[in-house]
Amino acid sequence: MHGIDPKILEQLKEKFDDMGQDVNAHLKGLLENTPITYWDYIQTDALLGLQIQRTRWPDEMVFIVYHQINELLFKMILWEIEQVAFKEDLTTTFFADRLDRISRYFDMLTSSFEIMGEGMEVEQYMKFRHTLTPASGFQSAQYRMVEFASTELINLIDIRFRATIDRDTPFSHAYDHLYWQAAGKDHKTGEKSTLIRLFDERYMEDFITFMKRYNTHNIALKFKSLPEEDQKDIKLINAMRHYDHTVNVQWVMAHYNTAGHYLDGGKEKAEATGGSDWRKYMHPKYQKRIFFPFLWSDEEIKDWGITNLEGHKQIVSLDDLS
């Protein structure tokens, strides 16, 4: 038996005194507590009860679980971004370390596409995918939030409209000209597809609130707000570039190639479940989705998404950016 450390009791008393609470009431509560278990802490039963198939095809379970794992990773990414975005005493070391964490999460997302690309039968997917219409992975709200929190809003505007939008543009107008809006609009009539309309109804207000919150706290502006000398930190610049390329080229292209495997690999050519022109919407060379364009050379930007760019390759000096 171990004796009770009086120092710990005193610290507990000070803690609860500061909260205006009676430490004895909390200690009595410990008498009624049950030991924590792994399954209670992780909420395993609740987590494993979230996979509801809509068809009889076994590979639909792979599809559901895979996308739920993606959403959990997006949550982890947003958690890390928030720590950088709202940290007052931000250092280059903390900044770079958190970006490296995020890049590892996206590295995991990128490599995991083998589960989708090789882990389902095309014939099964082409059967159960029809039950998804008009849903689409496009409708991942957390991924859109990752984008909003990472870069200045102008870099997410459809490239055709960037010259007409600035920081004084109303958020609602900017929202309607985001690059991914092009995936679900009839540009002759301006009418939105069901894919976009449902997405807007569910998330537009939340997105605009989130956009406003990160308007001056996104990763790009946090970097620009650092002291000039800190902005020359090679480790941080490399972390920024690696994150940018990992998200906007490597992960996107893994998604693009997997979509092609199923949609072009079936007996008949197929559209995305949301009805979008997924090839032009997804391929990075069309929209030039770049979080930190100020950290890439003109040549690298011109070839964005066309060649490998070795975007994850570390630069060794600031001269490499010129």
Side-chain angles (χ1 to χ4, degrees):
M1 294 289 293
H2 296 285
I4 298 176
D5 188 334
K7 290 183 179 179
I8 294 177
L9 288 176
E10 184 60 31
Q11 290 171 351
L12 285 170
K13 184 177 185 306
E14 291 177 2
K15 172 184 176 178
F16 289 108
D17 282 349
D18 290 342
M19 297 168 58
Q21 297 282 304
D22 181 0
V23 66
N24 291 308
H26 288 273
L27 290 174
K28 287 178 181 178
L30 292 176
L31 295 174
E32 308 302 326
N33 281 355
T34 56
I36 191 69
T37 61
Y38 172 84
W39 52 91
D40 286 335
Y41 184 69
I42 302 300
Q43 291 291 293
T44 310
D45 291 341
L47 185 63
L48 299 182
L50 296 175
Q51 295 76 44
I52 310 298
Q53 288 185 246
R54 297 173 65 89
T55 74
R56 61 185 176 84
W57 297 103
D59 281 356
E60 186 188 4
M61 182 61 73
V62 178
F63 189 83
I64 292 170
V65 174
Y66 175 79
H67 282 85
Q68 289 183 345
I69 291 170
N70 281 0
E71 292 295 334
L72 290 173
L73 284 167
F74 290 151
K75 182 171 183 175
M76 294 171 72
I77 290 163
L78 286 167
W79 185 257
E80 302 292 354
I81 290 176
E82 184 170 1
Q83 292 181 62
V84 172
F86 296 96
K87 188 172 181 58
E88 295 183 3
D89 54 341
L90 184 61
T91 65
T92 57
T93 298
F94 183 92
F95 202 153
D97 286 348
R98 290 305 183 273
L99 286 177
D100 285 343
R101 287 188 185 185
I102 296 167
S103 291
R104 283 194 291 272
Y105 299 148
F106 267 106
D107 286 339
M108 182 176 176
L109 285 164
T110 301
S111 62
S112 73
F113 266 109
E114 290 184 7
I115 295 171
M116 286 283 286
E118 305 296 334
M120 297 190 302
E121 293 180 9
V122 173
E123 292 78 13
Q124 286 196 41
Y125 175 74
M126 297 307 288
K127 293 288 186 181
F128 72 72
R129 68 183 296 275
H130 293 295
T131 68
L132 308 177
T133 307
S136 168
F138 169 100
Q139 294 171 317
S140 170
Q142 286 197 114
Y143 182 66
R144 301 303 164 203
M145 290 177 178
V146 168
E147 293 182 316
F148 295 143
S150 294
T151 190
E152 295 178 82
L153 194 57
I154 191 64
N155 296 321
L156 301 176
I157 299 297
D158 188 318
I159 197 168
R160 295 169 297 176
F161 305 118
R162 287 182 189 175
T164 69
I165 290 176
D166 57 31
R167 292 192 68 83
D168 296 324
T169 301
F171 284 97
S172 57
H173 181 77
Y175 177 85
D176 270 335
H177 290 81
L178 291 166
Y179 79 89
W180 45 262
Q181 288 278 349
K185 274 186 181 179
D186 183 327
H187 285 282
K188 293 181 180 178
T189 65
E191 185 176 347
K192 295 186 178 184
S193 67
T194 302
L195 169 80
I196 292 285
R197 182 174 54 78
L198 293 175
F199 198 41
D200 285 353
E201 289 174 1
R202 172 62 181 86
Y203 288 113
M204 183 174 67
E205 290 185 8
D206 292 340
F207 282 158
I208 290 177
T209 298
F210 192 89
M211 288 157 63
K212 290 178 179 178
R213 182 170 186 246
Y214 277 89
N215 188 42
T216 56
H217 287 82
N218 57 73
I219 295 294
L221 286 184
K222 289 297 286 189
F223 176 85
K224 290 181 178 180
S225 71
L226 292 172
E228 186 174 344
E229 195 60 32
D230 286 352
Q231 292 184 43
K232 298 177 182 178
D233 186 278
I234 298 300
K235 183 176 186 294
L236 177 56
I237 291 172
N238 284 331
M240 297 273 285
R241 282 167 54 92
H242 181 76
Y243 172 49
D244 203 351
H245 190 267
T246 299
V247 177
N248 290 312
V249 176
Q250 292 180 313
W251 187 70
V252 171
M253 287 306 299
H255 195 171
Y256 179 91
N257 292 331
T258 301
H261 172 71
Y262 288 101
L263 299 185
D264 290 338
K267 294 179 181 178
E268 298 180 3
K269 299 297 182 183
E271 292 183 350
T273 51
S276 64
D277 183 353
W278 62 274
R279 294 166 188 83
K280 287 191 176 181
Y281 153 67
M282 288 181 65
H283 203 295
K285 70 180 181 181
Y286 292 111
Q287 285 288 345
K288 302 287 186 183
R289 297 189 295 275
I290 306 174
F291 289 159
F292 318 121
F294 51 88
L295 293 180
W296 299 92
S297 69
D298 291 341
E299 187 70 18
E300 288 172 322
I301 291 175
K302 181 174 72 71
D303 291 337
W304 192 257
I306 300 174
T307 60
N308 181 39
L309 293 182
E310 295 186 287
H312 57 287
K313 181 180 178 181
Q314 293 189 342
I315 61 170
V316 295
S317 74
L318 296 179
D319 292 338
D320 295 338
L321 295 177
S322 60

